[in-house]
Amino acid sequence: MTNLSDFTPNEMMTIAAARALSNDDVCFVGIGAPSAACNVARLTHAPDITLIYESGTIGTAPNVLPLSIGDGELCETAVTTVSVPEMFRYWLQGGRISIGFLGAAQLDRFGNINTTVIGDYHKPKVRLPGGGGAPEIASSCKQVFITMKQATRGMVEKIDFYTSFGHGEGGNHRERLGIKTKGPTLLITDLAIWKPDPETKEFTVVSMHRGVTRDKVQETCGWKARFSDRLEETPPPSELELTTLRELQARTEKAHGGKKGN
Amino acid sequence: MTNLSDFTPNEMMTIAAARALSNDDVCFVGIGAPSAACNVARLTHAPDITLIYESGTIGTAPNVLPLSIGDGELCETAVTTVSVPEMFRYWLQGGRISIGFLGAAQLDRFGNINTTVIGDYHKPKVRLPGGGGAPEIASSCKQVFITMKQATRGMVEKIDFYTSFGHGEGGNHRERLGIKTKGPTLLITDLAIWKPDPETKEFTVVSMHRGVTRDKVQETCGWKARFSDRLEETPPPSELELTTLRELQARTEKAHGGKKGN
Amino acid sequence: MAKFQSLKEAVAENLRDGDVVAFEGFTHLIPHAAAHEAIRQGRKDLTLIRMTPDIVYDQMIGMGLAKKVIFSYAGNPGVGLLRRMRDAIENSWPRGIETEEHSHASMANAYEAGAAGLPCAVFRGYRGAGLKEVNPNIRSVTCPFTGEELAAVPAHRPDVAFVHAQKANRRGDVLVEGIIGVQKEAVLAAKRSVVTVEEIVEDFDDLHPNLCILPHWTVTSIVHVPGGAHPSYTHGYYDRDNAAYLEWDKISADRDLFSAWIKENVLEVGPEAFAGRVKGL
Amino acid sequence: MAKFQSLKEAVAENLRDGDVVAFEGFTHLIPHAAAHEAIRQGRKDLTLIRMTPDIVYDQMIGMGLAKKVIFSYAGNPGVGLLRRMRDAIENSWPRGIETEEHSHASMANAYEAGAAGLPCAVFRGYRGAGLKEVNPNIRSVTCPFTGEELAAVPAHRPDVAFVHAQKANRRGDVLVEGIIGVQKEAVLAAKRSVVTVEEIVEDFDDLHPNLCILPHWTVTSIVHVPGGAHPSYTHGYYDRDNAAYLEWDKISADRDLFSAWIKENVLEVGPEAFAGRVKGL
């Protein structure tokens, strides 16, 4: 039986993200925590959720987590698989995605994200992979959920590069740029759940995971963290949630560890 | 056995058009004479010719002539069938078509075509079907072949509406509009074969079908017809050509005459 | 999220007076049964979008449902002219209609742009063509890299799209195959969509991954109408009723003959009549 | 008109020093065998286009073939960074490279526009994003109907595209299935194209009509290379070699290890080695 008391912060993050998803959602899924969260949601409370990976696979139901955005199982279990231009034109730009997931190398308090470079763009200290789908995921999905592990290196006062636009300088900055979608509405970390303030759009801690203190949240965050007046404790993983996640990861481990080319 | 001496002007027109096609051509085919010509070419000297119908069927080889641009047999015998937006974007606009066929309700000496209205556009005497694919067939195909039966009503001094652009006012008018394709390079009628003059781009009779006189050509043409200095006689249909066309039409008649809904 | 409904309910809930509507199908899969239901329910002041208005719009226009038609080829394919549409344009019978005319390339691009959520379609078109002189919705943009002038037209964003397809599964996913035309684009471009299908099956388990499928959450309403494309055809089910297209040329040539035909074949019957019409095809 | 050739001939005839080239395949069907042949033939000063440069371009960049890379995501999918590409950008080893960076949407649209024969792609993108400040090839056009500002990027028109596919028939038609990515667009956008395939069959008689097929007259050269996508995969033939992607992270971390790996696995073997690599996958 699952030991409910020893869940990890990562597990809590994934499960908290899964809970934020519903049966009617159409999710643009990235690899890693978002993929785990979406599939836990599908295997628990949201069996009819639609998962889309940018490789063109629409309505997939993988039995194990994909290692890449275009694993064969995503196609095999999909309702349909379309070309990548169609994916970005009809499905993402067409406004059909309710929730897009983004991760971040650097994140600021307004949900702006950098995954491009550390340092100057033209003379980078570290050349990161870049945006991929992120710039348009950030503007075309109805809402954006961000998942990341808290660290002062990642949650910074000022990001080095605007890979994707969150709430900019806050307030109605999105509207001023003619962006009609809501942008980041949820930040789920290994320590807490954050939501943008309705007015300023600054991320505010609305719930801390069990055992997490305000100090811990602040120590791992590079900006001065704001806490909601009605701060809650995130309900710990249920047995179903934790078992589902762990079994999914065990199946994934087994499936991907096995085969190797000559 | 085929009686070679009693071929009709229509048959001569279709066969003359078929002869102008080669194995390497990729043809954008319309219904009627063009469809018959392309399929006669395919069944005689150009077995590998690629026939494309605007319904999305690429590389079709119908056993009978389609009654509509989207008959089921076109799809069943095609190498592949794509969506109509893809047809117009990747295949026509993409510059992959070597020869586009056009017919005309009105045609002028420079290959400009009207199939839109007789009379004023906003108060038409006769509302014709309109251009369909013609405006972009005329500009995107490498060459355009025109087929029509000669009549003063159809071959006119001035067309009422520019459904599709041929050589405009002649000369380098296409280039001046930034059109990079050759435009109409061949006009095949029931009486003669016409080609544009290399300089003026005015259609000039280069070959008359057997038994046709200059007077007959002029009587059925609303502009003053020019004749090439090296006017030829169109070789009459060969037995293979005529048999192939007649058998194709007999198969077509049989296939389409038979079934009827309740 | 697709609802399974009767055709009467689907048209009543999704098509309103004054709507901009597309009944699409490129020769193949033309949603005749749905159009007949719209005629029976007497919708008014519709703006009809369709590449080839065809006899399906000839019937709707002849019955006075349309105030405007946006189109690119107004013919009876393989037969000739559309006589009811001409009567409306030339003689305002039974009412005058406005027309907005494009090329096929333009219409196909406008649907594509609608599905892609763009305000306009950009393509290389209308060079030297007369339509851009008479249609103020044909404009241009300049390529910021080459300076080339490209045509631009507004994206199609119909209030509702009607299409016919081979089958739906119980979840409401729809399979369209064969000559797929602009149907996927029309459905994705529209605010609401109604799909009539030949067949409803339990699931789609063994389909090839790259087929044209409309997931259930892109479709508003699904209606089971066997034969619902007649006299057009459904690949894998029945052939085109070419004789009916020829016959239409005669029926539509005369106002009284037309009205009598509509009374007998549309007003006094329901969608269940279509199954019988495709027997033997 | 497709020619059937050896990989050596196909690369020699179609890829020249200084070419703009796309090796495409979105996770699936990445043409590794063709890239290795380009390395063996020592092509120089290439401009490499690819949405996800991936380990296939990491190898080419590490061997100094590239002068410029046009891309949207420079990672080892599911693993991490591209260490050879970083070394070239950060330390100019073995040579400096220029980069032109886009988003996925932008790259996909640029291929689409290339296939469509347009000079530029128009889409809704880069709102508030930093790339448009650093990439002069991200510009805009204004919708002439709504006034909305849309992003514009130049169409991709590579000199040559390399893709891998499931099969070709004897006429030279090519079938691509599963995750089809941008391969059709890359081939149609390119002046020349080389397709490596798992299998050559007599004909395609029983294929569904709506599959992704490149007709023979759109392809320049076809090469039979079983396993030619390894360590990527071919749907219906073999799975992805995930271990090889993980291993690459170590190999590519060290210049000497990298050079030794290339010598052993690329320079001293030929395309026939690929068939063995996918055994057991």
Side-chain angles (χ1 to χ4, degrees), chain D residues 187-204:
Chain D
V187 166
L188 295 181
K191 297 191 189 81
R192 303 180 295 278
S193 59
V194 176
V195 185
T196 55
V197 295
E198 292 295 329
E199 201 178 351
I200 294 171
V201 298
E202 202 48 42
D203 58 48
F204 283 168

Side-chain angles (χ1 to χ4, degrees), chain B residues 33 53 74 90 124 134 149 208 235 251 261:
Chain B
Y53 290 74
L74 296 175
Y90 291 3
K149 291 173 88 158
M208 294 193 300
R251 283 199 301 279

Side-chain angles (χ1 to χ4, degrees), chain A residues 54-55 67-72 81 84 88-89 93 121 126-127 129 132-133 136 161-162 165 177-178 259 261-262, chain D residues 27 72 74 78 81 86 90 101 103-104 109 123-128 130 178-179 181 233 239 241-242 276-277 279-280:
Chain A
E54 66 194 8
S55 56
L67 259 188
S68 82
I69 208 93
D71 273 19
T81 298
V84 167
F88 282 95
R89 285 180 74 82
Q93 182 179 265
Y121 182 79
V126 184
R127 173 66 236 197
E136 286 78 19
F161 190 86
Y162 269 54
F165 191 82
L177 293 185
K259 289 202 255 182
N262 295 312
Chain D
T27 312
S72 45
L81 302 165
R86 277 186 60 185
E90 296 170 11
E101 187 170 1
S103 66
H104 276 354
N109 275 288
F123 62 106
R124 185 181 292 113
Y126 290 122
R127 293 264 162 90
I179 290 176
Y233 71 105
D239 286 340
D241 190 348
N242 290 317
R277 289 174 186 160
K279 280 199 181 121

Side-chain angles (χ1 to χ4, degrees), chain C residues 103-126:
Chain C
S103 66
H104 276 354
S106 177
M107 290 285 284
N109 275 288
Y111 276 118
E112 201 275 347
L118 293 173
C120 64
V122 173
F123 62 106
R124 185 180 292 112
Y126 290 122

Side-chain angles (χ1 to χ4, degrees), chain A residues 227-245:
Chain A
F227 294 85
S228 168
D229 296 343
R230 283 165 301 178
L231 190 62
E232 295 179 1
E233 180 181 283
T234 315
S238 72
E239 183 172 344
L240 174 66
E241 289 167 337
L242 203 54
T243 309
T244 302
L245 173 60

Side-chain angles (χ1 to χ4, degrees), chain A residues 31 53-57 66-76 81-86 88-89 92-95 112 115-117 121-136 138-140 161-166 177-180 255-257 259-262, chain D residues 26-28 51 71-75 77-81 85-86 89-90 99-106 108-109 111-112 122-134 148 177-182 185 230 233 235-236 239-244 246-247 276-281:
Chain A
I31 292 303
Y53 290 74
E54 66 194 8
S55 56
T57 51
L67 259 188
S68 82
I69 208 93
D71 273 19
E73 199 186 353
L74 295 176
C75 175
E76 283 155 20
T81 298
V82 302
S83 75
V84 167
E86 179 179 325
F88 282 95
R89 285 180 74 82
L92 182 61
Q93 182 179 265
N112 303 300
T115 60
T116 303
V117 286
Y121 182 79
H122 296 287
K123 283 219 149 255
K125 259 185 277 180
V126 184
R127 173 66 236 197
L128 298 166
E136 286 78 19
S139 58
S140 289
F161 190 86
Y162 269 54
T163 304
S164 65
F165 191 82
L177 293 185
I179 306 174
K180 296 192 170 143
H256 292 157
K259 289 202 255 182
K260 189 185 166 334
N262 295 312
Chain D
F26 201 90
T27 312
H28 179 217
M51 293 184 67
F71 73 102
S72 45
Y73 182 84
V79 180
L81 302 165
M85 186 167 168
R86 277 186 60 185
I89 294 173
E90 296 170 11
T99 58
E100 178 180 331
E101 187 170 1
H102 290 273
S103 66
H104 276 354
S106 178
N109 275 288
Y111 276 120
E112 201 274 348
V122 173
F123 62 106
R124 185 181 292 113
Y126 290 122
R127 293 264 162 90
L131 279 179
K132 69 173 190 285
E133 318 296 334
V134 296
E148 183 179 351
E177 53 186 353
I179 290 176
I180 55 179
V182 294
E185 287 76 15
H230 177 272
Y233 71 105
H235 188 108
D239 286 340
R240 191 166 185 265
D241 190 348
N242 290 317
L246 288 165
E247 216 170 77
R277 289 174 186 160
V278 301
K279 280 199 181 121
L281 288 171

Side-chain angles (χ1 to χ4, degrees), chain C residues 152-205:
Chain C
V153 295
H156 288 328
R157 304 301 298 264
D159 293 305
V160 51
F162 288 87
V163 302
H164 186 74
Q166 272 87 356
K167 47 183 104 165
N169 64 22
R170 292 268 167 224
R171 285 167 53 99
D173 304 320
V174 170
L175 170 68
V176 188
E177 54 186 353
I179 291 176
I180 54 179
V182 294
Q183 282 97 299
K184 181 174 183 169
E185 287 75 15
V187 166
L188 295 181
K191 298 191 188 80
R192 303 180 295 279
S193 59
V194 176
V195 185
T196 55
V197 295
E198 292 295 331
E199 203 177 349
I200 294 171
V201 298
E202 202 49 42
D203 58 48
F204 282 168
D205 271 352

